[in-house]
């Protein structure tokens, strides 16, 4: 079982290169994935910058998005100086319908950038965004008996 242990996205002020004022970037930090961030109509590409210091991550999750399989390119970058022309870390994130969860080699950078494009949409939209570390729990033994809890209500 894999658990997403934390997300650095919630602890920083995000910056989006395009943002509809009715759907601000802060919405991706809300646990309700129906509160979405959206680019202005006509922007089919955007960057989401995640600034901070020593932000460690080995997974990204994007929930409730409108990106398409054939039209989208999703790239995650990490760098200590924000050099997006040649960042220290680059990972192309594979598309998945509705929810994208992608593990990658653990890295620690002062800045992360999510660059997304989708020419088949008139705007981009995303609900919850998570970037952080995960842990994998060992499997249960086949004969493991999970004790049942009992309680007494008074």
């Amino acid at each position: 079982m894999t658990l997403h242990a934390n997300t650095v996205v919630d602890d920083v002020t995000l910056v989006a290169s395009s943002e509809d004022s009715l759907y601000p970037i802060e919405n991706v930090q809300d646990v309700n994935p129906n509160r979405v961030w959206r680019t202005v109509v006509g922007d089919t590409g955007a960057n989401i910058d995640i600034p901070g210091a020593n932000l460690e991550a080995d997974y990204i999750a994007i929930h409730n998005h409108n990106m398409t399989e054939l039209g989208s390119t999703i790239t995650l970058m990490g760098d200590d100086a924000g050099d997006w022309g040649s960042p220290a870390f680059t990972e192309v994130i594979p598309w998945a319908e509705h929810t994208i969860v992608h593990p990658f080699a653990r890295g620690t950078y002062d800045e992360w950038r999510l660059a997304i494009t989708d020419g088949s949409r008139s705007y981009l939209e995303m609900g919850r965004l998570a970037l952080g570390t995960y842990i994998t729990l060992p499997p249960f033994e086949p004969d493991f008996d999970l004790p049942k809890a009992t309680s007494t209500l008074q």
Side-chain angles (χ1 to χ4, degrees):
M1 175 190 306
T2 299
L3 299 174
H4 299 175
N6 73 342
T7 177
V8 298
V9 170
D10 293 347
D11 300 328
V12 300
T13 301
L14 303 175
V15 179
S17 62
S18 177
E19 177 180 85
D20 182 315
S21 62
L22 297 175
Y23 304 96
I25 190 63
E26 292 82 13
N27 286 354
V28 303
Q29 295 168 308
D30 195 304
V31 294
N32 178 356
N34 294 319
R35 294 201 55 207
V36 299
W37 157 77
R38 186 181 288 178
T39 63
V40 296
V41 173
D43 281 356
T44 59
N47 297 319
I48 299 174
D49 290 337
I50 306 163
N54 296 316
L55 303 175
E56 185 176 31
D58 58 9
Y59 84 93
I60 186 168
I62 302 169
H63 185 63
N64 197 22
H65 64 84
N66 74 338
M67 294 174 274
T68 61
E69 182 176 14
L70 299 177
S72 64
T73 302
I74 310 161
T75 307
L76 180 66
M77 296 172 271
D79 197 81
D80 287 329
D83 179 7
W84 305 124
S86 57
F89 172 86
T90 302
E91 180 94 4
V92 175
I93 309 301
W95 177 89
E97 188 175 7
H98 194 63
T99 300
I100 297 167
V101 178
H102 181 70
F104 54 86
R106 185 169 290 200
T108 302
Y109 300 101
D110 289 341
E111 298 181 47
W112 292 88
R113 172 176 277 187
L114 181 62
I116 52 177
T117 60
D118 193 335
S120 64
R121 297 287 190 196
S122 61
Y123 61 86
L124 297 172
E125 183 175 277
M126 176 187 310
R128 183 74 165 130
L129 173 64
L131 175 71
T133 56
Y134 71 90
I135 58 173
T136 301
L137 300 176
F140 289 124
E141 295 296 322
D143 59 347
F144 179 77
D145 184 26
L146 186 63
K148 294 179 177 42
T150 60
S151 67
T152 305
L153 297 177
Q154 296 182 356

